[in-house]
Amino acid sequence: MSDPTETAPAPSAAVFRRLQVLSKRSDFLAAARARRQGTASMTLQARFRDDGDPAIRVGFTCSKKVGKAVARNRAKRRLREAARLVLPENGRPGWDYVLIGRPEATAARPFPALLDDLRHALRKVH
């Protein structure tokens, strides 16, 4: 039996790194004035915040050019999942990221390629 006073090993820092979702229009506008990188399946806008908060914040948007509501929602779901998988390890603390869906490409692109596009865009903006 194990000793009850022993502590479990500490989880890695990535476990505690949660993504915060952007919701204020002013945050989206600030990201729009910052760095951007286009890929085949999305556009990434990124900016560094000087507020000292180490959280990684992310926002998602798809215009009506992407399609009707069903197509926009599907594209945003795919972008959210890609961000959840890629940003904790490739994003930087204190940065805001906005992922913008592209017409037909975001929903139709194979998911592994979508993940690679996001990783490539992050490398370029940093």
Side-chain angles (χ1 to χ4, degrees):
M1 271 196 176
S2 66
D3 183 10
T5 58
E6 288 182 32
T7 59
S12 67
V15 172
F16 295 113
R17 217 187 227 186
R18 276 205 54 144
L19 300 176
Q20 294 180 357
V21 179
L22 296 176
S23 59
K24 293 183 182 176
R25 186 172 192 274
S26 60
D27 292 331
F28 282 90
L29 293 175
R33 290 188 302 270
R35 300 175 185 178
R36 69 182 57 169
Q37 178 64 41
T39 66
S41 60
M42 74 185 82
T43 300
L44 174 73
Q45 297 173 339
R47 78 176 186 108
F48 179 72
R49 297 184 321 274
D50 289 330
D51 60 4
D53 182 12
I56 296 174
R57 300 190 319 175
V58 62
F60 309 93
T61 185
C62 290
S63 71
K64 288 189 177 181
K65 291 179 185 178
V66 173
K68 297 201 182 244
V70 173
R72 291 194 308 269
N73 288 335
R74 179 163 192 239
K76 283 192 281 188
R77 277 195 311 270
R78 289 172 56 89
L79 291 175
R80 274 194 296 271
E81 184 62 14
R84 186 186 71 81
L85 294 173
V86 173
L87 284 179
E89 61 189 35
N90 295 90
R92 293 192 181 170
W95 282 71
D96 288 347
Y97 302 100
V98 175
L99 281 69
I100 303 170
R102 289 188 181 238
E104 300 170 8
T106 304
R109 188 119 166 118
F111 195 70
L114 187 77
L115 296 176
D116 289 339
D117 288 347
L118 181 54
R119 287 185 190 105
H120 172 75
L122 287 168
R123 281 193 303 272
K124 290 296 223 177
V125 297
H126 292 304

